[in-house]
């Protein structure tokens, strides 16, 4: 654990997460059957699991150290980070307010339904830009302060230098499990996960796949790496940008194929926004010889399964399969 003055970590997850061999998926991709492993950061234990638990250990631990009583954060309607902030607050007896984009529909599902079950107060703000959502977050924090609470604002996606420390920890954990690691493949949203891994593993060993949450993921990841480092030359990132497709919330054919492939070769469920894109990026990287057979590749499963149930396009697809596959005898 890094010792930095004023930073505190509170345990929220179950560590280490498993590292599992994925031989059937490896062969389907054109790799050797021992080449591909999956780091199960979807099995982090709290509130349905996912990568944000590692960041929240630092963010919430530090907030508690500063006397916070209420966590305030923001995100997309199906934010996994918001759901896990709600779970962290519940676990620690803190109030949680989530400022989420979009309008209420009256038939909320996936992460949004879990936010309510976990007891968070949800404020829907319509279609605002990230800076506008940040303004609402500051207003909410101010109003909590004036009513006697001590709010802590947790950044969008949990991605500050402090939050990224959770993935510095994860990088060290992974190296213990796989000292011969060649490449770790990871979805990039708000950037902290990739930044922490790059700090721990070096830029050559981390392959990021941008999911389109930010307009310029490379700049954000670089800025976070800068914050984690004490000077020195900034590394050149391995960041694939071609899986965003028609936008963050839109399901492309490549991502749909990737989700079905992981599910049907390994029984692993990926999500349409992040981990499905990470695998689609890995498929493309093997095709381009950017990731090669005979070396140890690790796909980070960063969670997000509740988002499957909150994604209209994917649910419509699944319903269609169920209708078409009606049993009519063997
Ligand atoms: C399931 C999942 N995977 C990956 C990411 C990307 O992590 P980061 O925001 O640190 O880039 C997110 C971010 O929300 C996520 O929810």
């Amino acid at each position: 654990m890094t010792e930095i003055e004023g930073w505190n970590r509170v345990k929220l997850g179950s560590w280490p997460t498993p590292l599992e061999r994925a031989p059937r998926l490896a062969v389907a991709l054109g790799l050797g059957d021992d080449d591909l492993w999956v780091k199960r950061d979807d099995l982090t234990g709290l509130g349905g699991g996912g990568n944000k638990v590692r960041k929240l250990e630092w963010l919430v631990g530090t907030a508690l150290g500063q006397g916070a009583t209420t966590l305030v954060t923001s995100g997309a309607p199906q934010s996994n980070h918001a759901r896990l902030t709600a779970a962290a607050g519940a676990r620690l007896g803190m109030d949680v307010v989530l400022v989420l984009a979009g309008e209420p529909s009256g038939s909320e599902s996936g992460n949004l339904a879990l936010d309510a079950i976990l007891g968070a107060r949800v404020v829907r703000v319509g279609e605002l830009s990230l800076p506008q959502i940040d303004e609402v977050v500051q207003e909410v924090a101010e109003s909590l302060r004036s009513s006697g609470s001590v709010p802590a604002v947790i950044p969008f996606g949990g991605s500050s230098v402090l939050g990224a420390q959770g993935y510095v920890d994860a990088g060290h954990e992974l190296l213990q499990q796989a000292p011969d690691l060649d490449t770790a493949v990871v979805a990039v949203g708000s950037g902290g996960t990739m930044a922490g891994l790059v700090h721990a593993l070096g830029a050559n060993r981390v392959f990021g796949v941008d999911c389109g949450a930010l307009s310029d993921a490379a700049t954000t990841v670089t800025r976070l790496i800068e914050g984690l480092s004490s000077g020195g030359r900034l590394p050149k990132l391995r960041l694939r940008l071609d899986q965003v497709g028609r936008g963050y919330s839109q399901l492309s054919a490549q991502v749909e194929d990737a989700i079905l492939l992981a599910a049907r070769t390994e029984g692993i469920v990926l999500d349409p926004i992040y981990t499905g894109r990470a695998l689609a990026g890995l498929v493309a990287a093997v095709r381009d010889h950017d990731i090669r057979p005979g070396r140890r590749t690790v796909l980070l499963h960063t969670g997000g399964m509740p988002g499957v149930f909150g994604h209209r396009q994917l649910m419509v697809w699944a319903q269609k399969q169920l209708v078409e596959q009606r049993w009519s005898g063997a």
Side-chain angles (χ1 to χ4, degrees), residues 143-214:
S143 126
L144 286 164
R145 233 171 262 123
S146 60
S147 67
S149 302
V150 184
V153 172
I154 307 289
F156 175 77
S159 283
S160 56
V161 173
L162 174 61
Q165 186 60 38
Y167 268 84
V168 177
D169 304 336
H172 295 145
E173 183 181 301
L174 178 56
L175 268 189
Q176 294 246 312
Q177 294 169 314
D180 60 345
L181 173 76
D182 183 80
T183 301
V185 179
V186 65
V188 179
S190 59
T193 302
M194 181 174 186
L197 289 174
V198 168
H199 185 74
L201 303 172
N204 283 341
R205 285 201 284 198
V206 183
F207 186 89
V209 181
D210 183 23
C211 300
L214 301 174

Side-chain angles (χ1 to χ4, degrees), residues 246-260:
R246 286 187 297 125
Y248 172 77
S249 60
Q250 299 295 313
L251 183 66
S252 68
Q254 295 93 307
V255 173
E256 184 181 308
D257 288 349
I259 291 173
L260 299 186

Side-chain angles (χ1 to χ4, degrees), residues 51-52 55 80-81 157 159 187-193 271 274-275 302-304:
N51 61 331
K52 305 298 175 167
K55 297 169 158 192
N80 298 298
H81 162 72
S159 283
V188 179
S190 59
T193 302
D271 79 290
Y274 296 103
T275 53
T302 44

Side-chain angles (χ1 to χ4, degrees), residues 63-64 66-72 89 92-97 121 144-145 147-152:
L64 275 175
Q66 293 165 350
T69 58
T70 306
L71 303 172
V72 186
L92 297 166
M94 303 174 85
D95 293 327
V96 176
V97 183
R121 273 187 288 163
L144 286 164
R145 233 171 262 123
S147 67
S149 302
V150 184

